[in-house]
């Protein structure tokens, strides 16, 4: 009969192979940061340049399959409505847009 330690090791290996363990860790990390975030203090309005930089970082993370890190960043950025970089590639221009709308 397997020991508790052996069962834990097998469960951990299985979750790691499926990518579920990384997803669980990222979700816990995001929830901890959300719990610690001071909601009473409003965030400063970001300039278009900072919004573009944030979006470049998010696109980089998603392109390199850092989807859990990207999900934490997206949550921290207050859920930008769409991919600015993808929009610029398709339209071949920088849009004049409002970033006030949110997904969540």
């Amino acid at each position: 009969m397997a020991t508790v330690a052996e069962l834990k090791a097998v469960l951990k290996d299985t979750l790691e192979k499926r990518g579920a363990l990384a997803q669980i860790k990222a979700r816990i990390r995001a929830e901890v940061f959300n719990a610690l975030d001071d909601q009473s203090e409003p965030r400063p309005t970001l300039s278009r340049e900072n919004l573009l930089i944030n979006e470049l970082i998010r696109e980089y993370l998603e392109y390199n399959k850092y989807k859990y890190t990207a999900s934490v960043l997206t949550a921290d950025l207050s859920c930008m409505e769409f991919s600015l970089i993808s929009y610029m590639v398709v339209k071949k221009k920088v849009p004049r847009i409002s970033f006030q709308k949110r997904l969540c």
Side-chain angles (χ1 to χ4, degrees), residues 12-73:
K12 182 180 176 187
D13 288 342
T14 302
L15 290 173
E16 283 177 345
K17 287 177 185 173
R18 293 182 180 177
L21 190 58
Q23 183 178 9
I24 291 167
K25 286 180 179 180
R27 184 67 185 164
I28 289 171
R29 207 173 297 120
E31 290 300 326
V32 167
F33 284 117
N34 283 339
L36 295 174
D37 190 23
D38 185 6
Q39 299 293 328
S40 64
E41 184 178 325
R43 292 182 184 209
T45 303
L46 295 177
S47 67
R48 289 189 184 274
E49 292 82 9
N50 284 349
L51 289 168
L52 181 59
I53 291 167
N54 289 341
E55 183 61 13
L56 286 169
I57 293 168
R58 191 191 63 74
E59 290 275 339
Y60 165 83
L61 293 171
E62 288 185 0
Y63 177 81
N64 287 291
K65 306 295 187 230
Y66 299 130
K67 57 184 174 181
Y68 308 119
T69 305
S71 70
V72 172
L73 177 65

